[in-house]
Amino acid sequence: MSILGTRVLRTEDPRFLRGTGRYVENLPLEGAVSVTFVRSLLAHARVSRIDTTAAEALPNVQVLTGADIEIGPFGPPPLPGLEMRMARPLVATDVVRFVGDILAVLISEDRATGADAAELVSVAYEPLPVVVD
């Protein structure tokens, strides 16, 4: 239904129902690589060690951590009323601030190799108190 209450005919449904939909991931792109993220399992912790040697030993896998990526902090847009102290690094280096915080970026030739390499990255945490309200 539209905002006016009239029926809206969807044109995209048949291709998805018949399995003929096209997705970017399924397009054959020459020279394309896959990116996989290793994410934090804890909500708040100090990262004492990230061991990437096993993942880097896999062929055609490159691993980048926060120490390798020099990007400025990511934060809210500079608008009045938004707290700019909420800025954080895109790739965590010393402290993770939420579950799913990115710890490492793996670049591989395909998605399956990236997933295998991500499982080989070992992270040592020192848990910190969390705020739940």
Side-chain angles (χ1 to χ4, degrees), residues 1-107:
M1 291 289 204
S2 76
I3 190 171
L4 301 174
T6 58
R7 183 173 179 214
V8 176
L9 294 176
R10 294 174 45 112
T11 58
E12 65 274 6
D13 289 348
R15 68 176 181 233
F16 297 128
L17 294 172
R18 293 186 178 101
T20 58
R22 294 182 66 192
Y23 300 91
V24 173
E25 183 177 1
N26 298 332
L27 295 176
L29 300 173
E30 186 177 330
V33 295
S34 179
V35 175
T36 306
F37 298 109
V38 174
R39 296 180 177 272
S40 170
L41 301 175
L42 299 180
H44 192 209
R46 191 169 313 285
V47 178
S48 57
R49 181 182 52 81
I50 300 177
D51 183 10
T52 61
T53 54
E56 291 171 336
L58 292 175
N60 301 319
V61 173
Q62 182 180 3
V63 182
L64 303 171
T65 61
D68 303 321
I69 301 173
E70 294 183 21
I71 299 176
F74 173 77
L79 296 172
L82 294 180
E83 184 59 63
M84 295 310 293
R85 291 182 297 171
M86 295 298 292
R88 61 178 178 82
L90 286 173
V91 180
T93 54
D94 53 351
V95 174
V96 291
R97 293 159 179 82
F98 56 90
V99 172
D101 207 354
I102 299 172
L103 290 165
V105 179
L106 291 87
I107 303 167

